[in-house]
Amino acid sequence: MFHYVPYPPLQVPAMRSAYPRAPMTYPPVDAHSFQRSAKESARLVADASLITQQISSSLSFAKRMMEAAERADTTIVIRMLKQIGVKSNIDIRFSPEGIRIYLSMTSSKLFLLLQWG
């Protein structure tokens, strides 16, 4: 029969008392780039909404996109998305399960995964 003997608790000195430190100082906050990123994100969300609305409302559009994806023809898929009014940069990845659409601008990115299998 095996009997478990627990290890004794570690005796570690408190870090604050052993190594006194000055409080961290940070540079002043500049929210302009954060605000710009939020504005760009709103545009990316609008583009994503445009894509999902077009695919869900047009069976022929969805079929053409899937057929191009079967041929791994990213150029045609990107052209289709640009034709419906997508303004952001687009990168596409296909898999047997679906399509990954990466929308990006200077300060923000949005990832959209749509499954078809």
Side-chain angles (χ1 to χ4, degrees):
M1 176 176 209
F2 179 76
H3 181 65
Y4 172 73
V5 179
Y7 290 107
L10 287 175
Q11 300 297 320
V12 179
M15 294 300 286
R16 292 184 194 265
S17 63
Y19 304 102
R21 293 177 23 172
M24 293 289 291
T25 57
Y26 297 99
V29 174
D30 179 16
H32 289 97
S33 63
F34 189 42
Q35 215 174 21
R36 182 176 51 249
S37 179
K39 287 178 184 177
E40 284 184 3
S41 293
R43 289 187 219 138
L44 295 177
V45 169
D47 281 348
S49 179
L50 188 63
I51 292 168
T52 56
Q53 286 176 357
Q54 182 67 29
I55 292 171
S56 64
S57 66
S58 173
L59 185 61
S60 65
F61 183 86
K63 186 176 178 181
R64 284 182 297 148
M65 183 176 281
M66 288 180 73
E67 288 169 347
E70 279 183 341
R71 297 186 306 272
D73 196 340
T74 58
T75 307
I76 288 180
V77 174
I78 291 172
R79 186 179 315 131
M80 289 174 68
L81 296 176
K82 291 290 186 180
Q83 286 174 349
I84 63 169
V86 174
K87 304 252 187 292
S88 55
N89 299 319
I90 304 170
D91 190 21
I92 304 286
R93 298 285 185 265
F94 305 113
S95 72
E97 292 83 30
I99 184 171
R100 292 178 183 90
I101 303 171
Y102 300 89
L103 302 173
S104 64
M105 296 185 103
T106 307
S107 303
S108 57
K109 297 176 178 19
L110 182 70
F111 167 72
L112 184 64
L113 171 63
L114 299 173
Q115 295 183 335
W116 53 48

